[in-house]
Amino acid sequence: MSVFAYRGERLFVEDVALVDIVSAVGSPCYIYSRRALTEAYQAFREALGAQRGLICYAVKANGNLALLAILADLGAGFDIVSQGELERVLAAGGDPKRVVFSGVGKTEGEMRRALEVGIRCFNVESMAELARLDAIACALHVRAPVSLRVNPDVDAKTHPYIATGLKENKFGIPLGEAVACYREQACYAHLSFVGMDCHIGSQLTDLGPFADALDRILPEFAGLRRAGVALTHVDVGGGLGVRYRDEQPPTVAAYVALLKDRLAAHGLSDQELVLEPGRALVASAGVLATRVEYIKETEARRFAIVDAGMNDLIRPALYGAWQGVTAACRRLGPVREYDIVGPVCESADVFGRGRRLAIEPGDILAIGEAGAYGFAMSSQYNARPRAAEVLVDGTEFHVVRRRETYEDLMRGECVVRAGGRS
Ligand code: LLP
């Protein structure tokens, strides 16, 4: 059963009424469930069974320290794309030996720091990056562990902004080029090639593209092994979708079974499987709570104007994404259709159109599946302090990131008057 469920008229998060959290913490706020996150992680762990595997949570989905610490305690690894994410993982007690570093634009400083703390692997995305990493490892007198991110050129059948596995995307190295590089690795004295990586996109609701990608890269992996190139892990990236509305994504069990099946089909069951799930771990563990400020009826539409905006949750505005909106307290009174909109001065500042709700000004709404790419993509646009984040744990809740203040908004800035006096 979902940890977000009505008891009587009130929506609960685990054993706490959502409205009680908002009364204490204010609105808007992100609310996460420890239990939902834990169960999502365990579903991956159980699905792996006897398969050697490392679940590297994609920190970009939600980098809150409290969530990272929960996952670190459960034994998770982490997939990072910046030094900032690395520092977050370390601050949360994550083990650098379980960190893989993805991303097309790693800087020298980022590589140096990752080598100094001894991460598990760099997922390298170009020959230029490989040369840079080799030089930095040389200067530091270490060998950098490397996995090449190959671009398998498959259609992930997802929103074009989050498809990454087509040859016109900026991601990865063409398969043929990557294979040649593995074979000629001797020219990189300070690298050790330990794995092969791919990530084809996000919010995939069909297993087909995952199977296609693996069936392209695994024969090459097996061929390299026969040729004496001793790789030890296959990193399949992230991308498993969740249900926002009526999608029917595969279960974690079916997804992992497919991965194991493809490994077995290519004689690679003994390889370690590295996974980089983001959304599938955290999306359904969080909601965004927001208060209805006004109801505004025009000739054309009826709007519920809420106190969260596209700066707090940009997915609907950016991708046209659909996310559920429910009332935290059910009312008897008339159900009407509302466009749920924020206060930001952009017409894209819409969370949902034509939503059927019984609401009044002052009511609290919960926007669902907001644990992934919600707070993480939030900004201060329109000079709006970022929302608080709360973790629910049974009957208790904790503020795990305080609401930003107006001082936070202006931190680090200064005024320069004519003549340079500050
Ligand atoms: N690994 C790599 C290399 C990635 O680029 C990503 C996501 C993941 C793993 C995790 O993917 P997931 O399991 O979460 O699908 N902001 C967009 C999603 C962007 C995904 C970017 N890369 C959204 O809100 O839909």
Side-chain angles (χ1 to χ4, degrees):
M1 200 181 92
S2 167
V3 300
F4 299 95
Y6 285 93
R7 295 186 192 169
E9 303 312 312
R10 296 190 304 164
L11 182 63
F12 274 66
V13 185
E14 299 192 21
D15 298 319
V16 187
L18 192 142
V19 288
D20 290 345
I21 298 173
V22 176
S23 298
V25 175
S27 174
C29 65
Y30 277 94
I31 303 175
Y32 311 123
S33 155
R34 175 192 284 268
R35 197 195 313 151
L37 177 60
T38 304
E39 286 175 1
Y41 178 80
Q42 279 163 351
F44 275 93
R45 215 37 294 157
E46 277 160 31
L48 279 171
Q51 170 71 46
R52 271 198 312 134
L54 182 61
I55 302 158
C56 291
Y57 167 61
V59 175
K60 65 171 76 67
N62 188 330
N64 184 281
L65 292 183
L67 304 192
L68 299 183
I70 291 170
L71 289 166
D73 287 348
L74 290 167
F78 298 93
D79 166 47
I80 59 162
V81 291
S82 67
Q83 184 174 345
E85 289 189 354
L86 176 58
E87 302 303 343
R88 284 188 166 277
V89 167
L90 297 174
D95 178 0
K97 282 265 149 286
R98 291 168 177 252
V99 168
V100 298
F101 194 166
S102 303
V104 293
K106 301 175 194 79
T107 65
E108 283 189 20
E110 288 178 321
M111 287 177 171
R112 199 169 301 119
R113 174 73 171 144
L115 283 171
E116 277 163 6
V117 302
I119 65 162
R120 160 80 188 254
C121 187
F122 290 84
N123 291 338
V124 171
E125 303 222 16
S126 66
M127 295 304 145
E129 186 190 333
L130 210 54
R132 176 183 273 186
L133 184 59
D134 190 46
I136 295 171
C138 173
L140 293 179
H141 308 293
V142 293
R143 275 175 95 88
V146 165
S147 172
L148 296 182
R149 173 170 176 182
V150 297
N151 183 327
D153 192 24
V154 298
D155 183 358
K157 301 196 176 69
T158 185
H159 190 286
Y161 289 8
I162 54 177
T164 52
L166 282 169
K167 62 173 184 276
E168 51 264 43
N169 299 132
K170 69 179 173 184
F171 299 98
I173 301 171
L175 188 51
E177 215 177 300
V179 169
C181 178
Y182 281 115
R183 288 179 186 267
E184 291 153 18
Q185 54 179 277
C187 55
Y188 298 105
H190 304 280
L191 305 181
S192 52
F193 288 75
V194 296
M196 191 183 277
D197 169 45
C198 80
H199 169 81
I200 57 173
S202 195
Q203 182 57 12
L204 273 68
T205 52
D206 180 15
L207 289 179
F210 290 116
D212 290 349
L214 288 174
D215 287 340
R216 286 199 190 173
I217 73 164
L218 293 182
E220 300 297 344
F221 190 104
L224 286 167
R225 200 154 78 147
R226 283 194 299 277
V229 178
L231 305 179
T232 56
H233 79 246
V234 178
D235 182 337
V236 296
L240 179 62
V242 302
R243 186 184 173 109
Y244 286 101
R245 187 180 197 178
D246 50 11
E247 305 90 334
Q248 303 278 352
T251 60
V252 169
Y255 165 69
V256 175
L258 178 272
L259 303 177
K260 291 199 286 192
D261 176 69
R262 295 333 294 155
L263 279 183
H266 296 281
L268 295 169
S269 294
D270 57 334
Q271 297 298 311
E272 184 171 14
L273 189 56
V274 175
L275 298 102
E276 302 171 0
R279 190 189 318 264
L281 285 175
V282 290
S284 303
V287 297
L288 173 60
T290 181
R291 186 186 306 277
V292 178
E293 291 286 337
Y294 301 101
I295 289 181
K296 173 171 174 177
E297 302 199 27
T298 67
E299 228 174 89
R301 319 286 303 174
R302 183 181 301 110
F303 298 100
I305 302 172
V306 299
D307 66 357
M310 63 189 282
N311 69 299
D312 296 298
L313 174 68
I314 202 173
R315 300 193 68 261
L318 185 57
Y319 312 113
W322 193 98
Q323 296 192 221
V325 181
T326 48
C329 269
R330 282 178 174 151
R331 288 181 178 280
L332 287 175
V335 173
R336 295 200 175 96
E337 282 194 3
Y338 295 91
D339 286 0
I340 315 295
V341 300
V344 170
C345 301
E346 304 239 3
S347 292
D349 187 21
V350 177
F351 291 117
R353 294 190 193 277
R355 302 303 176 89
R356 294 180 56 75
L357 292 162
I359 49 173
E360 288 181 12
D363 284 2
I364 304 299
L365 304 180
I367 304 180
E369 275 67 45
Y373 306 110
F375 187 89
M377 296 179 79
S378 68
S379 74
Q380 298 172 330
Y381 185 43
N382 276 207
R384 293 168 46 79
R386 268 175 290 218
E389 293 177 284
V390 174
L391 179 70
V392 176
D393 188 0
T395 56
E396 292 177 10
F397 63 91
H398 310 271
V399 175
V400 291
R401 192 181 202 272
R402 65 163 173 75
R403 183 178 311 286
E404 287 182 349
T405 63
Y406 293 106
E407 271 132 48
D408 291 332
L409 276 184
M410 292 174 257
R411 173 156 307 141
E413 293 181 37
C414 66
V415 173
V416 180
R417 306 208 189 274
R421 285 174 297 114
S422 57

